């Protein structure tokens, strides 16, 4: 049985993962409307992954005999300056998620709730990968630059990353 505090924190994380999914879906729509099909595919894929993260938490809370609660989800921003802004925001967002996961691990550990600590290890590893992924994308965008054909190559490169993830 989860404590009230851990249930509340897990529910906050459920909400945050839901928001992440909506945020990436919204960003995908911006990319689509700007003919950036590779970026759109990548963000669509990532939106689906975030929904899986949400479900994994939701099921854990349920299986532990507590009530998962979604609550009100913050509206994502709809307008973006360019693709550089989008991927810088995704990287910042993933860093926030990592901090929240670390807070959760810390709280569960302090309570001696090792089942939750164990469950959260998957998220610890996932966040390490996600931060690395989004950082590498922002680095690539900065390296290639968006002038001339730069934007075209960025979109192709990010689209290829999505194809590769699909094939895994
Ligand atoms: Fe579920 Fe990208 O954090």
């Amino acid at each position: 049985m989860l404590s009230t505090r851990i249930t509340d924190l897990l529910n906050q994380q459920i909400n945050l993962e839901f928001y992440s999914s909506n945020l990436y879906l919204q960003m995908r729509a911006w990319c689509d409307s700007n003919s950036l099909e590779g970026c759109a595919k990548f963000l669509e894929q990532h939106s689906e992954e975030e929904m899986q993260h949400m479900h994994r938490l939701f099921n854990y809370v349920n299986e532990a005999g507590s009530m998962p609660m979604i609550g009100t989800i913050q509206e994502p921003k709809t307008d973006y300056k360019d693709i550089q802004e989008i991927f810088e925001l995704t990287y910042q967002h993933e860093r926030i998620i990592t901090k929240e996961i670390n807070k959760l691990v810390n709280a569960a550990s302090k309570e001696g709730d090792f089942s939750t600590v164990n469950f959260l290890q998957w998220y610890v590893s996932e966040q390490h990968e996600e931060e690395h992924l989004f950082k590498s994308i922002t680095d690539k965008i900065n390296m290639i630059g968006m002038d001339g054909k730069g934007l075209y190559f960025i979109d192709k490169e990010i689209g290829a990353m999505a194809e590769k993830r699909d094939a895994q």
Side-chain angles (χ1 to χ4, degrees):
M1 186 77 185
L2 302 170
S3 71
T4 306
R5 175 160 163 71
I6 298 299
T7 304
D8 288 347
L9 288 173
L10 287 167
N11 276 328
Q12 279 172 31
Q13 194 62 36
I14 286 172
N15 193 292
L16 207 48
E17 300 289 347
F18 222 128
Y19 170 73
S20 305
S21 179
N22 290 349
L23 175 67
Y24 296 154
L25 192 61
Q26 193 67 64
M27 287 172 164
R28 180 226 122 161
W30 186 93
C31 292
D32 251 342
S33 64
N34 285 277
S35 304
L36 294 163
E37 286 151 21
C39 294
K41 183 174 170 56
F42 178 91
L43 288 162
E44 165 82 28
Q45 197 179 55
H46 224 80
S47 168
E48 283 167 13
E49 282 184 23
E50 296 300 346
M51 201 51 95
Q52 288 166 14
H53 298 176
M54 188 283 292
H55 276 286
R56 189 183 271 255
L57 281 155
F58 194 94
N59 291 340
Y60 177 74
V61 174
N62 228 176
E63 281 166 17
S66 295
M67 179 58 75
M69 285 186 284
I70 295 164
T72 307
I73 300 158
Q74 192 194 330
E75 236 176 76
K77 175 176 151 80
T78 53
D79 199 22
Y80 301 94
K81 189 169 149 250
D82 52 30
I83 200 65
Q84 191 164 28
E85 185 195 11
I86 285 190
F87 280 101
E88 268 165 18
L89 287 175
T90 60
Y91 178 49
Q92 283 168 26
H93 182 67
E94 290 300 334
R95 291 179 71 188
I96 292 169
I97 304 289
T98 301
K99 273 191 192 151
E100 294 305 311
I101 293 290
N102 288 344
K103 262 195 236 167
L104 243 169
V105 173
N106 200 23
S109 179
K110 275 188 185 154
E111 284 195 14
D113 179 352
F114 298 114
S115 167
T116 300
V117 171
N118 187 45
F119 166 74
L120 290 169
Q121 289 318 299
W122 183 88
Y123 286 85
V124 172
S125 309
E126 183 71 9
Q127 282 315 118
H128 174 76
E129 275 180 30
E130 298 221 321
E131 275 200 35
H132 178 256
L133 176 68
F134 285 106
K135 170 81 167 58
S136 72
I137 292 177
T138 56
D139 286 348
K140 275 197 181 88
I141 294 174
N142 291 333
M143 219 187 304
I144 299 171
M146 293 192 300
D147 296 338
K149 289 185 180 154
L151 189 56
Y152 172 78
F153 286 119
I154 289 167
D155 190 51
K156 267 197 118 36
E157 180 78 19
I158 295 174
M161 289 168 91
E163 298 283 351
K164 206 170 153 189
R165 274 172 100 85
D166 257 352
Q168 280 169 359

